[in-house]
Amino acid sequence: MNKTAIAQRMNLPWVESPFFENLISQKTLDLQQQKMAFDFHNEGYIVLPGMIDSKLIDQTIQDIKHEYPDRLGEEPSRHQDLWKKYESVRAIASADAIFDVLRFLYEREPIPFQTLNFKFGTQQRAHSDTIHFSCVPARFMCGVWVAMEDTNANNGPLFYYPKSHRNEEFNYYNIGIEAQKDYAEYHEYEDFMEAFMDSGHYAPQQIHLNKGDVLIWSSNLIHGGAPILNPEATRWSQVTHYFFEGCMYYSPRLSDMFANNLNLRHVVNIKTRQIVQHSDKGKPIETINTGNFKYAVSRQFTLRTLAKEVIKKIIGKKPF
Ligand SMILES: O=C(O)CCC(=O)C(=O)O
Ligand SMILES: [Fe+2]
């Protein structure tokens, strides 16, 4: 089998492929597309200046501002899925210009599935979104960050570690953390990420964006929110997370990777409002989500099932 056939068979976005050079040489791209593809492949993100219309952003802030407290430090600091309530949030998540770029990068139909809106910087520690959202095949997920006002060193801009997306997708199991229902262990994951970036000699980079600019990061790019130097300064922003069609979607943080018990996601496409069927190569996948949590799932289930079988053999009917 030749290299091109091998490369084309892989279940990976072409911009994330180890055969990227081969795949790009097969395409006819303009200069702008070439730059986007190379940047995304090499650095793990791209910036699209002024992609979202100022009027739509103003409308969105107007719609959602009463949902937030006046001052930094008061709750709620963020809102998830305001698209269900405000058409403007949904319009940003469904913007044609964003869809076009995502179709180019992933060659599958994008599925916006979650919005987060912030009034202030998040000061989130370094993480990869793959701890929260992943899929089979892997890497058909990305984050799209929209600046709803200019960011600078004072209002907690985004930071990221260029090229960090090239690493494996870390999950709790392979870094030795046991998940708990209440998120209590999440800081251990963050400790790991910082130590990992440090030992890998990655350097965090801040990015200052202008209102309307869009940053797309690869599913596995390590990023976060820088400290806020001026607590008065707002940093209105919207992040939309996207999957792509034809995958099985799950939450690694809530999955038991050892038992391959994936906590599957209920995905709703923000643009179409349709529930998304998990699928592979156009075929629907029948999925069973136990809804149970980690280790408790497989062990309790196995013991209970075993006990049931044994009793059934003895008494000749199902005991419970
Ligand atoms: O806006 C930020 O500071 C980071 C947000 C983020 O990491 C995310 O939504 O995935
Ligand atoms: Fe994130």
Side-chain angles (χ1 to χ4, degrees), residues 93-319:
S94 313
D96 287 342
I98 294 175
F99 265 62
D100 286 346
V101 175
L102 295 182
R103 285 187 191 110
F104 166 67
L105 293 175
Y106 288 88
E107 296 184 326
R108 292 192 188 198
E109 192 57 15
I111 303 168
F113 68 92
Q114 184 196 74
T115 58
L116 293 169
N117 286 85
F118 303 105
K119 173 175 177 178
F120 296 103
T122 67
Q123 308 194 81
Q124 261 195 73
R125 292 174 66 193
H127 65 280
S128 153
D129 289 346
T130 56
I131 194 67
H132 305 292
F133 325 112
S134 192
C135 49
V136 182
R139 294 182 183 248
F140 282 99
M141 195 277 285
C142 70
V144 175
W145 196 97
V146 177
M148 294 168 74
E149 69 179 292
D150 297 356
T151 63
N152 54 53
N154 291 323
N155 65 357
L158 271 185
F159 72 84
Y160 50 77
Y161 292 83
K163 303 186 190 299
S164 57
H165 66 302
R166 293 288 190 91
N167 294 293
E168 66 181 285
E169 284 187 29
F170 286 104
N171 57 54
Y172 279 4
Y173 179 74
N174 60 21
I175 62 177
I177 300 175
E178 195 154 330
Q180 288 149 42
K181 251 182 179 155
D182 59 4
Y183 245 90
E185 75 298 340
Y186 187 67
H187 70 95
E188 293 174 34
Y189 165 81
E190 294 173 315
D191 292 345
F192 169 84
M193 273 303 164
E194 281 171 10
F196 170 52
M197 287 293 94
D198 202 41
S199 64
H201 309 294
Y202 289 94
Q205 200 164 305
Q206 262 194 26
I207 185 158
H208 299 165
L209 296 168
N210 294 323
K211 180 176 174 181
D213 292 354
V214 171
L215 188 145
I216 302 179
W217 64 68
S218 146
S219 63
N220 203 31
L221 186 80
I222 298 172
H223 63 275
I228 297 169
L229 304 183
N230 174 8
E232 306 287 308
T234 58
R235 194 212 70 175
W236 286 103
S237 47
Q238 174 164 326
V239 188
T240 307
H241 289 107
Y242 294 73
F243 281 128
F244 294 83
E245 68 179 11
C247 302
M248 180 163 70
Y249 313 98
Y250 69 101
S251 304
R253 194 181 70 79
L254 302 173
S255 297
D256 181 348
M257 306 310 266
F258 184 79
N260 209 13
N261 188 346
L262 304 183
N263 191 302
L264 301 170
R265 296 187 66 87
H266 175 72
V267 180
V268 176
N269 184 329
I270 293 173
K271 185 175 177 179
T272 63
R273 296 184 192 274
Q274 301 291 309
I275 293 169
V276 177
Q277 167 72 51
H278 298 242
S279 69
D280 182 44
K281 299 188 176 68
K283 287 192 228 110
I285 301 170
E286 290 311 319
T287 50
I288 303 165
N289 194 348
T290 61
N292 287 325
F293 194 74
K294 287 283 284 178
Y295 299 111
V297 183
S298 40
R299 277 195 211 134
Q300 278 176 10
F301 179 75
T302 315
L303 282 178
R304 200 181 145 84
T305 313
L306 191 67
K308 211 169 167 175
E309 288 304 310
V310 171
I311 298 169
K312 193 175 138 196
K313 275 218 157 51
I314 297 167
I315 64 173
K317 61 177 171 95
K318 276 191 190 161

Side-chain angles (χ1 to χ4, degrees), residues 15-144:
V15 282
E16 299 264 14
S17 171
F19 299 104
F20 172 74
E21 307 279 339
N22 179 287
L23 292 169
I24 199 164
S25 73
Q26 315 288 321
K27 295 179 189 288
T28 314
L29 304 178
D30 62 32
L31 280 178
Q32 201 195 348
Q33 287 173 321
Q34 281 181 36
K35 182 167 166 30
M36 276 200 289
F38 273 108
D39 283 352
F40 202 72
H41 176 73
N42 291 327
E43 306 302 318
Y45 70 94
I46 49 171
V47 177
L48 307 158
M51 183 166 266
I52 300 296
D53 182 50
S54 232
K55 283 205 208 75
L56 175 57
I57 291 174
D58 294 343
Q59 179 64 51
T60 310
I61 296 177
Q62 191 61 32
D63 288 347
I64 68 175
K65 66 178 182 211
H66 70 278
E67 302 273 1
Y68 295 83
D70 290 337
R71 275 177 295 280
L72 176 69
E74 295 169 358
E75 291 298 330
S77 61
R78 66 181 209 157
H79 282 284
Q80 188 176 312
D81 292 332
L82 283 181
W83 67 270
K84 292 179 183 167
K85 211 163 156 188
Y86 303 102
E87 212 33 57
S88 51
V89 173
R90 184 165 164 256
I92 292 178
S94 313
D96 287 342
I98 294 175
F99 265 62
D100 286 346
V101 175
L102 295 182
R103 285 187 191 110
F104 166 67
L105 293 175
Y106 288 88
E107 296 184 326
R108 292 192 188 198
E109 192 57 15
I111 303 168
F113 68 92
Q114 184 196 74
T115 58
L116 293 169
N117 286 85
F118 303 105
K119 173 175 177 178
F120 296 103
T122 67
Q123 308 194 81
Q124 261 195 73
R125 292 174 66 193
H127 65 280
S128 153
D129 289 346
T130 56
I131 194 67
H132 305 292
F133 325 112
S134 192
C135 49
V136 182
R139 294 182 183 248
F140 282 99
M141 195 277 285
C142 70
V144 175

